[in-house]
Amino acid sequence: SDWRPRPCLTSCGAGAQGRALAAARPRRWRSGMAPSRCAQRGAQSPAATWRLREDGPGWEAVRALLARAVEEPQVLERFTGRPAPRGPEPWPGHRGSGKKERATFALEIGYRGEAFAGFQWQPGKRTVEGLLQETLGSLCAGRTCVVSVAGRTDRGVSASRNVVSFYTWDEEVDAAAAMVAVNAAAPSDLACHRAVRVPREFHATFSATQRHYLYILPLSATRAPAEAIRRELEALPGQTLDFRSLGSYLPQGKCTLCTVTRCDVAEAAMEDGTRVLVFNIQGDRFLRRMVRCLVATAVREAELSGEGSLERVLEAKDSKAAAVPAPAHGLAMTGVDYGP
């Protein structure tokens, strides 16, 4: 018989003939879909492979500073250029109804990001939320402790002044007891700076009006000058924009509009003389990994492209247009505003 097996046209086919035919065949995808990462691998641009270094000179000093800020949040004020943000207002007192009331408490906490697998509870992992639920559970009159937070930070991200809230029906519990319990849970990794009883309707997430972040990048990690990065960021403050390009793992239908009210960068020196770039970013809300993607993309565009390139990344509304997120160990949440 003259029958012979037809050569495989896929990348896993054996033989030079099959690979040659596969290479010559036009690649097609459905309308509206981008080529796969495999299809793009052969012709990646410098922007596609660019990423900030996660180690090297300066990073140990940054880690040490953010670890110190867990118990001493004021050490970051020289980089933020402002005093501590306005926190939750204390509860005014009983309304005189005579009924048993649910007591809600707000706690201002700091934590070392590298000691946890993120804020959100995860089975079998040490997380900030999991530790708080376990610690505050004894104050919740035998009920499940429900913890709300202003900023649900990712793995490795620290906080000097994040805000959480919980409630209890135990009338004997006061703010001092909650503060003592948290401070005893994980010394040096988790600290409570302030605890107050707040109105019942207070919610750490939905009552927050502004969130403050600080990113510290060693100057040795980039060759872009602060002025070039500043030009990339200067168009953002005061505008409500679609930050879809700078979000990661966004659920379908999630709103991606955010209003950034402060976004600046300046060169500074740490106590040991390490030169760093300090990013102060403030807004009403942030998407997952948005701050780290914003920092990395602004630095990348300042190095490789030119003025106004960050705006084109936002216009793409595609996360593949952004840079790989900046290392988590350079980011800290430094405060939350409540009220006007």
Side-chain angles (χ1 to χ4, degrees), residues 33-74:
M33 291 184 63
S36 68
R37 292 186 184 275
C38 292
Q40 297 173 341
R41 191 174 294 160
Q44 288 183 327
S45 66
T49 58
W50 185 96
R51 65 189 305 155
L52 283 169
R53 292 178 57 188
E54 297 188 10
D55 52 15
W59 276 121
E60 285 305 315
V62 172
R63 283 184 165 103
L65 176 66
L66 296 187
R68 180 183 170 191
V70 172
E71 297 180 329
E72 303 175 47
Q74 66 275 9

Side-chain angles (χ1 to χ4, degrees), residues 162-195:
N162 202 346
V163 175
V164 298
S165 61
F166 78 101
Y167 61 84
T168 178
W169 292 93
D170 188 342
E171 295 181 333
E172 300 300 319
V173 174
D174 59 13
M179 187 170 182
V180 168
V182 172
N183 282 329
S188 76
D189 289 340
L190 174 67
C192 180
H193 311 306
R194 178 174 178 249

Side-chain angles (χ1 to χ4, degrees), residues 173-286:
V173 174
D174 59 13
M179 187 170 182
V180 168
V182 172
N183 282 329
S188 76
D189 289 340
L190 174 67
C192 180
H193 311 306
R194 178 174 178 249
V196 293
R197 184 171 178 179
V198 290
R200 174 172 175 161
E201 60 273 13
F202 177 88
H203 193 285
T205 308
F206 303 121
S207 300
T209 55
Q210 291 285 296
R211 293 160 172 86
H212 304 252
Y213 285 92
L214 175 74
Y215 195 94
I216 303 179
L217 177 69
L219 203 59
S220 59
T222 176
R223 64 177 186 271
E227 184 57 36
I229 303 172
R230 188 179 301 114
R231 287 196 296 269
E232 294 293 335
L233 299 173
E234 63 185 4
L236 300 184
Q239 296 194 63
T240 299
L241 300 171
D242 189 338
F243 284 89
R244 184 185 308 273
S245 293
L246 301 182
S248 298
Y249 304 107
L250 302 177
Q252 186 175 7
K254 183 177 179 65
C255 176
T256 53
L257 297 178
C258 306
T259 303
V260 173
T261 51
R262 181 186 182 186
C263 191
D264 56 51
V265 60
E267 188 174 334
M270 300 181 67
E271 291 181 353
D272 66 350
T274 300
R275 303 297 297 180
V276 294
L277 291 173
V278 177
F279 295 78
N280 278 286
I281 301 173
Q282 175 184 336
D284 61 343
R285 61 191 295 267
F286 293 92

Side-chain angles (χ1 to χ4, degrees), residues 22-108:
R25 185 176 60 183
R27 297 179 183 269
R28 295 188 177 92
W29 44 80
R30 295 192 301 274
S31 176
M33 291 184 63
S36 68
R37 292 186 184 275
C38 292
Q40 297 173 341
R41 191 174 294 160
Q44 288 183 327
S45 66
T49 58
W50 185 96
R51 65 189 305 155
L52 283 169
R53 292 178 57 188
E54 297 188 10
D55 52 15
W59 276 121
E60 285 305 315
V62 172
R63 283 184 165 103
L65 176 66
L66 296 187
R68 180 183 170 191
V70 172
E71 297 180 329
E72 303 175 47
Q74 66 275 9
V75 300
L76 297 183
E77 291 181 9
R78 63 183 290 259
F79 296 106
T80 62
R82 54 161 177 73
R86 179 182 177 184
E89 293 293 332
W91 181 57
H94 288 284
R95 297 182 175 84
S97 64
K99 297 181 180 180
K100 184 177 181 179
E101 293 192 7
R102 188 183 79 178
T104 303
F105 296 93
L107 286 68
E108 185 181 80

